[in-house]
Amino acid sequence: MTEAGDLRMMIASKVPIIVVESHDEVRVLSFVAQTALRKGLGVLEWTAVRGLQRGAVERGPIPEESPTADPEAALLEVARGAGPMLCVFCDLHPWLKGEPRLVRLLKEIALEHERSGKTLIFVSHRFELPEELTRLSARFRMSLPD
């Protein structure tokens, strides 16, 4: 099976949090977009520069200011949003150290996964997940392209 297929299978397995460790963020976002399209799911993508945006991969110009550039604002938006979706957070890891409120917010979103259908996908070159979230998560390591 291909890596895209493996990621699709992991998303289909209903794991609330997927940690993807890769240096190739664009490739990961492309796999997520393909999976969302096949499954009829919406995609939200967050970065500290752009905030929370619909879709993945196709990025327009950098906005001057985004109210959801703050991770807590973005997570609250995800928590309040309706319908199943894939929520990709790129390089969120620096904000989780020593931030119990953010960790709790992530946990609450993950615990609602079965009802809400929201899957959180964390993308980074390396991601240490807070211990409280490990039982709600799975790891996916992408190989370097040939």
Side-chain angles (χ1 to χ4, degrees):
M1 185 172 282
T2 66
E3 283 186 322
D6 291 345
L7 185 57
R8 272 194 302 276
M9 198 164 54
M10 191 174 281
I11 290 168
S13 73
K14 307 266 189 231
V15 176
I17 298 172
I18 299 171
V19 176
V20 181
E21 291 185 343
S22 175
H23 288 280
D24 195 348
E25 185 176 290
V26 172
R27 197 163 131 234
V28 173
L29 294 173
S30 176
F31 285 175
V32 170
Q34 291 169 21
T35 300
L37 188 62
R38 286 186 176 178
K39 298 208 167 278
L41 297 170
V43 178
L44 291 174
E45 178 191 339
W46 178 88
T47 70
V49 172
R50 297 175 183 280
L52 198 60
Q53 297 184 328
R54 293 216 174 275
V57 179
E58 291 186 31
R59 295 177 171 164
I62 294 173
E64 287 190 31
E65 190 174 335
S66 170
T68 57
D70 174 70
E72 185 172 340
L75 288 168
L76 287 170
E77 187 83 16
V78 166
R80 294 175 183 143
M85 64 183 73
L86 304 178
C87 307
V88 182
F89 285 80
C90 299
D91 298 322
L92 180 67
H93 59 284
W95 282 270
L96 297 182
K97 291 183 184 344
E99 290 294 332
R101 184 173 164 84
L102 285 182
V103 173
R104 182 63 206 184
L105 188 50
L106 288 168
K107 186 174 182 179
E108 290 197 16
I109 294 168
L111 291 172
E112 288 292 315
H113 174 56
E114 199 169 310
R115 184 191 59 75
S116 72
K118 293 180 184 113
T119 301
L120 300 171
I121 302 173
F122 301 136
V123 180
S124 183
H125 69 288
R126 185 174 312 146
F127 198 103
E128 288 184 40
L129 200 61
E131 201 169 315
E132 304 93 301
L133 302 174
T134 56
R135 72 171 187 84
L136 300 166
S137 69
R139 287 193 172 271
F140 183 78
R141 282 194 176 82
M142 286 187 58
S143 63
L144 294 171
D146 293 338

